[in-house]
Amino acid sequence: MTGEDQLTLDGGCTCGGVRYRMTSRPLFVHCCHCRWCQRESGSSFALNAMIEAERVVLLGGEPQVVDTPSLSGKGQKIARCPSCRVAVWSNYAGAGDAIRFVRVGTLDDPDRLPPDVHIFTSSKQPWVVLPPATPAVAEYYDREQLWPAESLARRRALIG
Ligand SMILES: [Zn+2]
Ligand SMILES: [Zn+2]
């Protein structure tokens, strides 16, 4: 993943009202197969790129933050376009406002960010076949074991 630090990725909602830019590669990309993500996406999993909030720059519009229940019980804040209501990122109670979970499917080029880990595969829909080379865990995982050192350092700089 080295050499991608200068990576910038643009994205936005369906109506074009909200546009944003990720100014570096993300910390880590989760593909979450929990039932909550299945329900909220209306699909089989959610694909979230975790990144420092300050590395997500708004290019247009102002997302509206909607308080939404979460699996942990602590709630999540989902940032949605005020017009078309497409969700562009979430913040979870665990990492607070400092880390955004950008919805990879809203990027102009979502192919650039494949999953670094599959989580909550215990509730994966049975037809979804995971690639053997990507780590997969029944529920959650130990960050220290899976994240690249550079991402761990970035997170420490942020949260301490
Ligand atoms: Zn929109
Ligand atoms: Zn989930």
Side-chain angles (χ1 to χ4, degrees), residues 15 57 61 78 83 97 129:
C15 78
V57 178
I78 301 182
S83 300
D97 293 335
V129 180

Side-chain angles (χ1 to χ4, degrees), residues 15-57:
C15 78
V18 171
R19 294 289 302 166
Y20 68 84
R21 173 168 296 158
M22 293 170 58
T23 62
S24 80
R25 68 169 190 79
L27 296 161
F28 214 61
V29 179
H30 282 177
C31 186
C32 185
H33 299 263
C34 83
R35 295 296 186 193
W36 288 69
C37 286
Q38 292 179 22
R39 183 169 54 240
E40 287 160 24
S41 66
S43 183
S44 305
F45 47 78
L47 194 54
N48 290 316
M50 304 170 67
I51 187 169
E52 297 93 326
E54 65 189 15
R55 298 190 186 203
V56 183
V57 178

Side-chain angles (χ1 to χ4, degrees), residues 12-19 80-86 88:
C13 65
T14 290
C15 78
V18 171
R19 294 289 302 166
R80 295 181 177 276
C81 168
S83 300
C84 71
R85 304 285 172 180
V86 164
V88 286

